[in-house]
Amino acid sequence: MEKVKMISPFRLSSLLRLEKDPKLALQLFRNPNPDISQKLFRYSLLSYDLIISKLGRAKMFDEMEEILDQMKDENRFSPKEVILCNVITFYGRSRSYEQVLRTYDRISSFRCQRTVRSLNSLLNALLNCRRLDKIREIYLDIDQYSSPDACTYNILINAACMSNSLDVAWELFDEMRRKGIQPNVVTFGTLISALCESSKLDDAFRLKEDMQRLFHVKPNAFIYVSLIKGLCKANELNLAFKLKEEMLVDNTLGMDSAVYTTLISALFQSGRKGEVSGVLEEMREAGCKPDTVTYNAMISGFCMEKDFDSAFGVLDEMVGKGCKPDAISYNIVIACLCKDGRLREACDLFEDMPRRGCAPDVVSYRTIFYGLCEGMEFKEAISILDEMVFKGFVPHSSSLQKFVDRLCREGDMDMLMSVLNSLAKGNAINVDTWKMVTTIVCKKTELFNRSELVDMLLL
């Protein structure tokens, strides 16, 4: 009888790295040798790291916690801090605030010392959770956590900019310099981007000069894109193009499609769409291929001018160039068609999306529903609502309220009941919706006697 080859701890790590399906990876981890009776499997630290990462990325958090507890009980090694930092990051991306704090607090229980690395993971996760209040609380007691480094201050400065507290951001910048911590390109990029967003372009360009002259830090593509966006926002297109030329001179920067996309959008907004083709040609010559965002900017520009033929032409060109349109591509056209009162064409495009290889998303449904309501196409709107609720989507409350109000004005309570039934079937009708409906209907009590009203609401 042929002897069955056992999977060793080293082999398990290799197999886990190759396995793309997190569920199959977990099954393999839990039972690496299902047909062999053996002693307790001696898992390696690398195997734990791999399976925890796969489960975290897949948001299989309950299973991830089970593996963490198992790793915690190991006595052959101490887990590395980076594994727990990754867990904090996974929870931060899913905005699981309580789990972020819990994981950070229990790092020491894994016989692992917390350093500035885990502090930075915590702060960045809190930033993803938009818990700026907690970030400030930690900052006020920062020395109790760890000695901050440049990464720490970059996160703190980013948090200050997100809360529109540029004065605080500058204070943090000055503080890191007093502590002898050298600002890096991320520090300057964050500040310059915030200044451009606040239309403080003179300060942004002054900081760009200072970072080179005083700190000997070279601007990267992100900084140039931020400045170009700021100039386009201020309708300073000539200066924006001049800055783009500065980027082209520096071969180390690498031209980003975001640069050209920003310029294309600005040209449309300034009524200079005739120059777009030249920008596209230069883009290709620079070895920068237009992406979905670039094409969407063109679609938006043509729709803004109600040039729908050109917008559809861009959709076709995307397919021909091997750049698949996404839901945003179609939603832009659908929204503009609805706004222009061309509901039939909007509905046709909406219905054609699956055939074009792009399923409508919640924005698609909400857009077409709102357009049909505005166009008083109630039967079609109810049909879209049925399909929408079936797929687990619901309209914006403002759209629904306007729809119900118009049905009441028309005195069509049959349609109103159909709407309520659709929402109820999908468990999409909540207390706020009921309050809205009863308030509107009660204002129309002249259409009913009291018993009819009660019966309708009970049903």
Side-chain angles (χ1 to χ4, degrees):
M1 184 176 178
E2 185 179 351
K3 187 177 180 181
V4 178
K5 188 176 181 180
M6 292 177 60
I7 293 178
S8 67
F10 177 79
R11 177 64 176 157
L12 176 61
S13 298
S14 299
L15 293 173
L16 287 173
R17 184 179 280 110
L18 293 171
E19 180 56 62
K20 303 298 182 183
D21 188 328
K23 292 182 180 179
L24 293 178
L26 178 61
Q27 183 179 337
L28 175 63
F29 180 89
R30 284 175 170 168
N31 201 4
N33 293 302
D35 299 324
I36 299 176
S37 176
Q38 59 174 4
K39 295 179 181 179
L40 187 66
F41 192 87
R42 296 171 67 84
Y43 292 98
S44 67
L45 181 58
L46 178 57
S47 293
Y48 279 109
D49 189 4
L50 289 168
I51 191 62
I52 287 169
S53 295
K54 286 182 181 294
L55 296 173
R57 290 192 189 98
K59 298 186 178 181
M60 297 172 62
F61 295 130
D62 290 340
E63 293 84 352
M64 184 184 72
E65 287 292 336
E66 290 179 16
I67 303 300
L68 281 169
D69 289 338
Q70 180 179 328
M71 183 178 68
K72 184 180 176 184
D73 293 336
E74 290 280 1
N75 53 22
R76 293 175 294 109
F77 52 74
S78 296
K80 294 182 179 179
E81 183 187 21
V82 64
I83 298 178
L84 285 306
C85 289
N86 289 338
V87 172
I88 291 172
T89 299
F90 296 139
Y91 280 129
R93 288 173 182 167
S94 67
R95 300 195 176 185
S96 302
Y97 170 68
E98 298 295 339
Q99 290 289 45
V100 165
L101 296 180
R102 176 178 175 273
T103 304
Y104 180 80
D105 289 339
R106 68 190 293 232
I107 288 178
S108 57
S109 69
F110 285 84
R111 307 175 305 283
C112 182
Q113 184 177 359
R114 292 187 302 206
T115 69
V116 68
R117 184 171 192 169
S118 51
L119 169 62
N120 292 340
S121 296
L122 171 64
L123 291 172
N124 197 56
L126 292 173
L127 193 64
N128 286 332
C129 293
R130 300 298 187 266
R131 292 304 302 259
L132 304 181
D133 55 334
K134 185 63 178 178
I135 291 176
R136 176 162 179 77
E137 179 186 322
I138 291 173
Y139 163 69
L140 293 174
D141 203 21
I142 194 82
D143 291 332
Q144 299 298 317
Y145 288 82
S146 183
S147 296
D149 60 9
C151 182
T152 312
Y153 275 99
N154 288 343
I155 298 169
L156 293 171
I157 289 171
N158 195 11
C161 292
M162 285 178 63
S163 60
N164 297 316
S165 302
L166 270 174
D167 290 342
V168 174
W170 280 115
E171 290 172 8
L172 289 165
F173 178 74
D174 292 337
E175 181 181 308
M176 71 185 294
R177 293 170 61 195
R178 287 197 304 271
K179 289 186 176 183
I181 300 172
Q182 178 71 12
N184 56 30
V185 70
V186 176
T187 317
F188 291 109
T190 304
L191 287 167
I192 288 173
S193 177
L195 288 168
C196 291
E197 284 289 327
S198 301
S199 299
K200 296 183 177 181
L201 291 177
D202 290 340
D203 292 337
F205 276 95
R206 193 176 301 115
L207 184 57
K208 173 180 174 287
E209 295 302 318
D210 287 346
M211 69 180 284
Q212 296 173 281
R213 181 172 54 87
L214 301 177
F215 298 93
H216 309 293
V217 177
K218 184 180 177 182
N220 60 9
F222 174 79
I223 290 175
Y224 275 100
V225 171
S226 297
L227 291 167
I228 289 172
K229 285 182 177 179
L231 289 170
C232 289
K233 183 180 176 182
N235 202 29
E236 295 284 355
L237 263 66
N238 292 334
L239 290 177
F241 275 94
K242 185 177 179 181
L243 203 59
K244 183 259 298 179
E245 294 300 324
E246 185 178 317
M247 288 187 74
L248 286 171
V249 171
D250 190 340
N251 294 325
T252 64
L253 281 173
M255 290 303 291
D256 194 317
S257 63
V259 175
Y260 292 105
T261 300
T262 301
L263 292 171
I264 287 170
S265 294
L267 286 172
F268 274 110
Q269 291 171 5
S270 300
R272 295 164 59 178
K273 71 175 182 179
E275 299 174 47
V276 169
S277 59
V279 173
L280 283 171
E281 184 62 29
E282 180 187 312
M283 185 178 185
R284 294 187 178 99
E285 289 176 356
C288 189
K289 189 177 180 181
D291 57 16
T292 306
V293 180
T294 309
Y295 282 115
N296 285 348
M298 294 175 63
I299 291 170
S300 179
F302 284 124
C303 286
M304 186 171 58
E305 296 190 345
K306 298 185 180 182
D307 186 355
F308 295 107
D309 289 340
S310 296
F312 278 107
V314 174
L315 283 173
D316 294 336
E317 180 182 336
M318 290 177 73
V319 177
K321 297 288 186 180
C323 183
K324 185 179 179 181
D326 59 10
I328 296 173
S329 311
Y330 294 104
N331 293 343
I332 293 169
V333 184
I334 290 170
C336 289
L337 285 171
C338 289
K339 187 176 181 182
D340 200 43
R342 301 167 68 165
L343 295 176
R344 186 65 267 157
E345 293 171 74
C347 289
D348 288 344
L349 181 59
F350 174 81
E351 292 169 2
D352 202 35
M353 284 178 67
R355 187 187 64 78
R356 290 170 173 254
C358 182
D361 63 5
V362 62
V363 177
S364 311
Y365 278 98
R366 285 177 172 175
T367 302
I368 199 71
F369 177 77
Y370 179 79
L372 290 169
C373 292
E374 287 292 293
M376 308 291 281
E377 299 288 348
F378 297 143
K379 288 184 179 179
E380 289 80 359
I382 291 175
S383 177
I384 290 293
L385 180 63
D386 285 337
E387 186 178 335
M388 191 177 186
V389 171
F390 177 77
K391 293 193 174 183
F393 303 144
V394 291
H396 284 299
S397 58
S398 58
S399 298
L400 192 59
Q401 182 172 350
K402 186 177 290 188
F403 186 38
V404 170
D405 183 62
R406 285 183 174 174
L407 289 176
C408 290
R409 289 178 186 275
E410 295 291 317
D412 198 330
M413 292 302 114
D414 288 337
M415 281 193 177
L416 178 59
M417 285 302 302
S418 180
V419 169
L420 296 178
N421 284 333
S422 292
L423 294 171
K425 285 176 184 176
N427 198 26
I429 187 163
N430 54 30
V431 174
D432 291 335
T433 305
W434 277 114
K435 285 181 179 178
M436 175 193 70
V437 171
T438 52
T439 299
I440 293 174
V441 172
C442 285
K443 288 179 180 178
K444 312 293 180 182
T445 52
E446 67 273 13
L447 299 174
F448 308 96
N449 60 44
R450 290 186 179 183
S451 61
E452 287 175 335
L453 180 61
V454 171
D455 288 343
M456 186 192 73
L457 294 178
L458 286 174
L459 286 171

